[in-house]
Amino acid sequence: MDRFRKGRRVRISAVPLRRSLLLRLLAVSALVSVCSITATAWVVLQTTAVVLSRERGQALADDARIYDTLLGYAATHPSWNGVQPTVDHLAQSAGHRIVLLGEDGHLLADSNADRNRPFQPPQQASAVIDPLAVDPELNKNTDDGRSGTERIDPRAVGPFKLSEEDSERLTRTAKRVVLCLREFYDTPAHVQMSSAGRPKVVVTNPGGTPTVGEQRCSPGFTDPTQSEEKALEGLTSLVNACLARREVDGVRLAIDGSWEPRTRHAPPASTVLSCLTTSRSQQLAPYVAPAALLYVSSPGRTATTFFDLSSANRLRIAGWAAAVLVMTVTVTTLTGIRLVKPLRTLTKAAMRMEGGEASPSVLVRGGDEIAKLSAAFNAMSQRREQLESARRDMTNDIAHELRTPVSNIRGWLEAVEDGIAQPDADLVTNLLGQALQLQHIVDDLRDLSAAEAGELRLVPAPVELMELLAAVAVANRATATAAGVTITVVDTGRVPVIADPVRIRQMIGNLVSNAIRYTPAGGSVTLSAHVDLDTVVIDVADTGTGISADELPHIFDRFWRAEKSRSRQSGGSGLGLAIVRRLAEAHQGTVTAASTPNVGSTFTLRLPHHS
């Protein structure tokens, strides 16, 4: 291939979007932003959640404590008279304003009473204080095991309240029972007091049934006192009256809250429990305060919806901000290093090229813009080396080609000057031939340089190839006859083509003269042309010496000859075939060669066919 071709254009394909450097920069920026926002949001949410959870837990604890305290007061007092000190104490400890209103709306107590600005109750109360209808969400007290099902506060005992004398007597008995169980039966137990003042011996018994020790150590301990019997009789009467209204048999109640049927026909348990709850409420009503509406508010305090700037929160925010900053700097630094490293490599390679290194190259990885730039740099470096090598070879070839005629002319002129040779007609003819050879080389170099630089001007015109082939054959017939070679033109009819008439004749003439030069006496050169689809094909075939397969790829190079030992004067300038190829390319065509040694060669010129 020609080493002096015009610099080829390196096609840089578009970078896929997924490999784009811009996209990766945007992705890194988005990643850093997302991480920063996520970390900040997480810190805020975590801190807010903790604070709100604490505030909500504290508020619930305050509400439950206020509710339980007032509920206990209502369960142990027949009215709300005297509740104001309790309300004031609760309001001071909780930091809230506490207001109690009766169900009819009259004021019972107010921790922050203002005559000028009376309390205006909201539409819904915070809670209803009723010891006979406890709110299970605000009160978890299940003493005596009753309120869990009856919703009656266990502190509301009414007529079942023991006198101090009976309570002390039963307490002493309970302690003796506990001591008996521990000493004689090795059974752990302890005394538990109920709201009514009755002690209860609690024994750890996984089986749930009374042990022998319990039966022997506490005979008569669970029997009711006289006041309890009276209260129990009143409750039993109320329960049986309720059951009678529901047309079921009555029951007998025990002091511990259990019951048993009076007859064989036991009433349904659910019916008994329903009547027991209703009856207990009727029996306890005179002993407890009436239901009241509770209002709890926080004047002077606003709801906290964001975290406070306490020392702990400031330290937490600073820590996370530092972590996000470190992560951002780390990601940015690593990305910057990864981006700058190949650019530094390219810079060093360019500096080595500037320092005179022939063809420095860089390692190409990936498929982004920097990788494409690296690939383009490598291609440029290789092309520069090729052009530099071609320049050196061209200089050597031109000097070599011009040396022979110039040396011949100088030698003959020095011989004439020294009197060795006579300037006769033969010498002048010889010198003129050498000058013409020198002029021919210069003209060929000028044409080839213009063609390679793209400055060769073409004047396209309609050309009839058969007429042109005939004219070329006539022009070269004298040379062919002198060499003993026959030129033949194969007539295939009209073969029109649009081309520069001068340049196409120059191309075919160079091919014909080359064929005549390498065809021995008795051989032949055949010219033909035909149309193949959208291409005009011109063949110049000879029966010459042929070209070996290893030399065939170089026949269109400058100054190349198949016979190295052949005289340059008889072998031409060595630029003819190179000019043919450049002229063919200028016409958007091609020229190829096929050859068999000692059989012949065929040069094929293909040009576009314009119909």
Side-chain angles (χ1 to χ4, degrees):
M1 297 295 293
D2 187 2
R3 295 168 299 188
F4 296 90
R5 284 187 296 174
K6 184 180 180 181
R8 70 183 69 177
R9 180 176 299 175
V10 179
R11 177 184 174 88
I12 304 299
S13 59
V15 178
L17 185 60
R18 61 186 178 85
R19 295 179 177 272
S20 174
L21 180 61
L22 176 61
L23 182 62
R24 284 193 285 173
L25 289 175
L26 292 177
V28 170
S29 176
L31 177 62
V32 172
S33 300
V34 169
C35 291
S36 302
I37 295 173
T38 302
T40 304
W42 185 84
V43 172
V44 171
L45 289 176
Q46 287 293 107
T47 309
T48 303
V50 170
V51 173
L52 291 179
S53 177
R54 290 176 180 175
E55 289 192 355
R56 182 173 181 273
Q58 184 63 39
L60 290 177
D62 291 343
D63 292 345
R65 181 169 57 87
I66 293 171
Y67 178 82
D68 182 70
T69 302
L70 295 177
L71 188 65
Y73 184 92
T76 55
H77 295 78
S79 68
W80 290 105
N81 296 333
V83 76
Q84 185 64 46
T86 303
V87 170
D88 292 340
H89 176 72
L90 290 173
Q92 184 178 6
S93 62
H96 299 299
R97 181 182 182 181
I98 302 175
V99 180
L100 278 177
L101 297 181
E103 289 187 317
D104 57 357
H106 71 279
L107 182 65
L108 298 177
D110 187 353
S111 64
N112 189 22
D114 187 353
R115 294 180 179 180
N116 297 326
R117 299 180 62 183
F119 177 71
Q120 297 294 329
Q123 294 182 350
Q124 186 175 1
S126 301
V128 177
I129 307 297
D130 187 357
L132 302 181
V134 177
D135 187 347
E137 295 298 325
L138 294 175
N139 186 273
K140 306 296 183 181
N141 193 347
T142 56
D143 188 27
D144 288 350
R146 295 178 180 177
S147 62
T149 57
E150 299 179 2
R151 292 187 60 191
I152 296 177
D153 192 285
R155 291 167 290 188
V157 294
F160 289 92
K161 179 71 174 179
L162 293 179
S163 63
E164 293 184 3
E165 181 181 354
D166 289 340
S167 179
E168 291 177 358
R169 177 176 56 83
L170 291 176
T171 300
R172 290 192 296 269
T173 304
K175 292 180 179 179
R176 288 195 298 268
V177 172
V178 171
L179 185 60
C180 174
L181 291 174
R182 291 179 179 176
E183 291 183 356
F184 296 101
Y185 298 97
D186 195 23
T187 301
H190 65 277
V191 178
Q192 180 179 349
M193 297 297 294
S194 68
S195 300
R198 169 176 277 277
K200 180 180 179 181
V201 177
V202 179
V203 178
T204 304
N205 180 17
T209 58
T211 63
V212 177
E214 290 181 75
Q215 296 174 354
R216 293 182 178 180
C217 289
S218 59
F221 172 69
T222 58
D223 295 339
T225 63
Q226 291 182 356
S227 61
E228 288 177 330
E229 286 183 352
K230 184 177 179 180
L232 189 60
E233 288 176 0
L235 180 59
T236 302
S237 298
L238 292 174
V239 171
N240 288 333
C242 175
L243 294 176
R245 287 192 298 271
R246 300 187 183 186
E247 299 180 352
V248 295
D249 295 338
V251 297
R252 284 190 294 270
L253 299 178
I255 192 63
D256 60 357
S258 63
W259 55 273
E260 62 181 8
R262 286 183 174 180
T263 63
R264 296 180 179 178
H265 303 287
S270 59
T271 303
V272 175
L273 290 177
S274 176
C275 286
L276 180 59
T277 301
T278 304
S279 300
R280 290 192 67 224
S281 298
Q282 293 176 0
Q283 186 183 35
L284 295 174
Y287 298 93
V288 298
L293 302 178
L294 173 65
Y295 296 90
V296 180
S297 59
S298 301
R301 291 182 60 187
T302 57
T304 302
T305 58
F306 203 75
F307 61 88
D308 60 337
L309 293 178
S310 62
S311 299
N313 285 336
R314 285 198 298 268
L315 183 61
R316 185 180 296 109
I317 294 172
W320 278 103
V324 172
L325 179 61
V326 170
M327 182 185 66
T328 302
V329 172
T330 302
V331 172
T332 305
T333 302
L334 293 178
T335 304
I337 291 175
R338 190 170 184 273
L339 295 178
V340 171
K341 185 177 180 180
L343 295 179
R344 289 180 175 176
T345 303
L346 282 172
T347 302
K348 292 179 180 179
M351 294 176 65
R352 294 201 308 270
M353 181 183 294
E354 182 184 8
E357 185 173 337
S359 57
S361 61
V362 294
L363 181 62
V364 180
R365 289 180 179 176
D368 56 13
E369 289 86 349
I370 295 180
K372 296 293 183 181
L373 177 61
S374 301
F377 179 85
N378 291 339
M380 179 189 69
S381 178
Q382 294 175 1
R383 182 59 180 164
R384 177 178 175 273
E385 173 62 18
Q386 293 174 358
L387 292 177
E388 183 65 21
S389 176
R391 183 188 64 80
R392 291 193 299 267
D393 292 344
M394 181 179 179
T395 302
N396 293 333
D397 289 342
I398 292 175
H400 186 69
E401 292 295 327
L402 294 179
R403 184 181 298 115
T404 299
V406 170
S407 298
N408 290 337
I409 294 174
R410 177 184 175 181
W412 284 110
L413 291 177
E414 288 178 350
V416 171
E417 184 181 21
D418 294 339
I420 298 175
Q422 296 295 324
D424 54 12
D426 291 336
L427 178 59
V428 172
T429 301
N430 188 14
L431 293 177
L432 180 60
Q434 296 293 330
L436 291 176
Q437 176 70 13
L438 185 62
Q439 181 66 41
H440 182 53
I441 294 175
V442 173
D443 291 341
D444 285 348
L445 286 173
R446 183 191 59 191
D447 291 343
L448 187 59
S449 176
E452 289 181 342
E455 298 176 356
L456 188 64
R457 295 184 179 181
L458 300 178
V459 184
V463 176
E464 177 56 48
L465 282 180
M466 297 311 300
E467 297 178 358
L468 183 62
L469 294 180
V472 171
V474 171
N476 289 273
R477 182 156 292 135
T479 304
T481 300
V485 177
T486 302
I487 298 181
T488 304
V489 177
V490 178
D491 189 358
T492 56
R494 294 185 68 256
V495 182
V497 68
I498 303 297
D500 188 318
V502 175
R503 296 304 181 183
I504 192 172
R505 181 164 183 165
Q506 182 180 3
M507 286 188 288
I508 299 174
N510 285 355
L511 293 177
V512 171
S513 62
N514 186 75
I516 294 173
R517 186 177 302 114
Y518 292 102
T519 300
S524 63
V525 175
T526 303
L527 309 181
S528 64
H530 66 278
V531 178
D532 183 10
L533 298 178
D534 57 349
T535 304
V536 173
V537 181
I538 304 170
D539 290 326
V540 177
D542 63 62
T543 59
T545 57
I547 306 169
S548 63
D550 57 337
E551 294 179 333
L552 194 62
H554 304 288
I555 60 174
F556 294 103
D557 292 347
R558 292 181 180 87
F559 304 113
W560 181 89
R561 287 183 179 84
E563 298 180 18
K564 305 300 181 183
S565 61
R566 192 180 181 95
S567 170
R568 291 190 176 272
Q569 183 172 354
S570 62
S573 67
L575 299 173
L577 293 182
I579 293 175
V580 171
R581 184 178 65 177
R582 286 303 181 186
L583 293 178
E585 291 175 352
H587 283 83
Q588 305 300 318
T590 61
V591 60
T592 57
S595 181
T596 302
N598 300 320
V599 175
S601 304
T602 301
F603 288 80
T604 302
L605 180 64
R606 289 181 173 85
L607 301 176
H609 178 251
H610 302 281
S611 56

